[in-house]
């Protein structure tokens, strides 16, 4: 993943079932409060590992192992019998009959040489709000149809951030390494 160490999180957006979309404030506080109240926060994202890795990098002290993940893109892949690979957020929304159109073509802007930091922050906020709102709708449809275990997403994100510890002595003792 190109330059993930130097990439910065510009905006964080979230909502709960009872709140409007919140931008850039309180995400970890809201999840910590849910944990303290005995609830399990569920992070819903499209290609969740990508987003979660940045959160884990920036907030390593958070108890990520207590959080659940619902990846709408992974759900589509698993539910399709492993056929619908890398379905876009727009394609996924359309499949469920949800009207959704991105407010800007972020990929095209970045390919043109524009940097994320140079984009208008208000436009980015509108873009993020749309994503957050449609993700909640997609999640509700998917959850009503089937639930898949996605507990492997957090450890994968952690391994990509921190690598995998191998105990060389134990490997030698068990004849896996010489």
């Amino acid at each position: 993943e190109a330059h993930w160490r130097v990439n910065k999180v510009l905006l964080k957006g979230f909502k709960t079932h009872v709140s409007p979309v919140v931008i850039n404030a309180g995400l970890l506080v809201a999840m910590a409060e849910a944990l303290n109240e005995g609830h399990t926060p569920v992070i819903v994202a499209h290609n969740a590992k990508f987003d979660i890795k940045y959160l884990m990098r920036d907030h390593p002290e958070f108890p990520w192992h207590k959080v659940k993940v619902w990846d709408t893109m992974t759900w589509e892949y698993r539910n399709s019998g492993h056929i619908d690979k890398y379905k876009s957020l727009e394609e996924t929304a359309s499949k469920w009959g949800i009207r959704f159109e991105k407010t800007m073509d972020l990929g095209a802007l970045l390919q043109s040489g524009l940097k994320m930091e140079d984009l208008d922050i208000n436009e980015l906020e509108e873009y993020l709000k749309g994503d957050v709102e449609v993700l909640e709708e997609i999640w509700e449809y998917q959850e009503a149809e089937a639930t898949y275990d996605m507990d492997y997403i957090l450890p994968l994100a952690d391994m990509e951030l921190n690598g995998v510890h191998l105990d060389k002595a134990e490997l030698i003792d068990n004849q896996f390494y010489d």
Side-chain angles (χ1 to χ4, degrees):
E1 292 183 34
H3 314 296
W4 74 266
R5 290 191 200 299
V6 295
N7 286 350
K8 292 182 270 187
V9 175
L10 296 178
L11 297 173
K12 291 181 265 189
F14 78 99
K15 75 180 300 303
T16 65
H17 286 297
V18 295
S19 77
V21 176
V22 177
I23 302 289
N24 260 8
L27 172 60
L28 294 178
V29 170
M31 291 194 316
E33 286 173 356
L35 287 169
N36 289 336
E37 292 170 3
H39 305 292
T40 302
V42 179
I43 296 175
V44 179
H46 201 74
N47 194 6
K49 185 170 59 71
F50 178 81
D51 299 319
I52 290 172
K53 184 165 49 175
Y54 288 104
L55 283 172
M56 292 173 87
R57 178 198 65 190
D58 293 347
H59 305 282
E61 73 291 341
F62 191 81
W64 295 107
H65 63 284
K66 295 181 178 181
V67 173
K68 291 286 185 189
V69 176
W70 188 286
D71 185 330
T72 55
M73 185 172 69
T74 297
W75 189 97
E76 293 297 330
Y77 176 64
R78 293 184 73 181
N79 200 59
S80 73
H82 302 272
I83 294 168
D84 290 338
K85 216 175 199 182
Y86 308 119
K87 210 171 196 180
S88 73
L89 187 57
E90 296 91 334
E91 292 170 323
T92 302
S94 178
K95 173 199 169 193
W96 294 102
I98 301 167
R99 290 182 45 117
F100 172 68
E101 190 174 317
K102 297 254 185 191
T103 58
M104 68 174 113
D105 188 342
L106 194 53
L109 290 170
L110 296 174
Q111 281 186 336
S112 75
L114 200 61
K115 294 184 178 171
M116 287 289 285
E117 301 89 46
D118 297 332
L119 294 172
D120 179 90
I121 197 74
N122 294 318
E123 288 182 39
L124 279 174
E125 285 183 11
E126 286 306 308
Y127 180 90
L128 179 57
K129 283 180 184 177
D131 277 11
V132 171
E133 289 170 349
V134 78
L135 279 166
E136 182 180 35
E137 287 185 70
I138 291 169
W139 175 49
E140 289 171 355
Y141 280 107
Q142 289 176 342
E143 188 180 43
E145 187 164 311
T147 299
Y148 297 107
D149 179 9
M150 297 186 200
D151 289 345
Y152 60 89
I153 292 172
L154 287 169
L156 282 176
D158 184 58
M159 285 189 296
E160 286 183 8
L161 276 174
N162 304 307
V164 178
H165 172 75
L166 295 176
D167 185 331
K168 188 174 178 181
E170 186 172 328
L171 291 172
I172 291 169
D173 288 348
N174 290 301
Q175 299 177 347
F176 291 116
Y177 182 85
D178 53 14

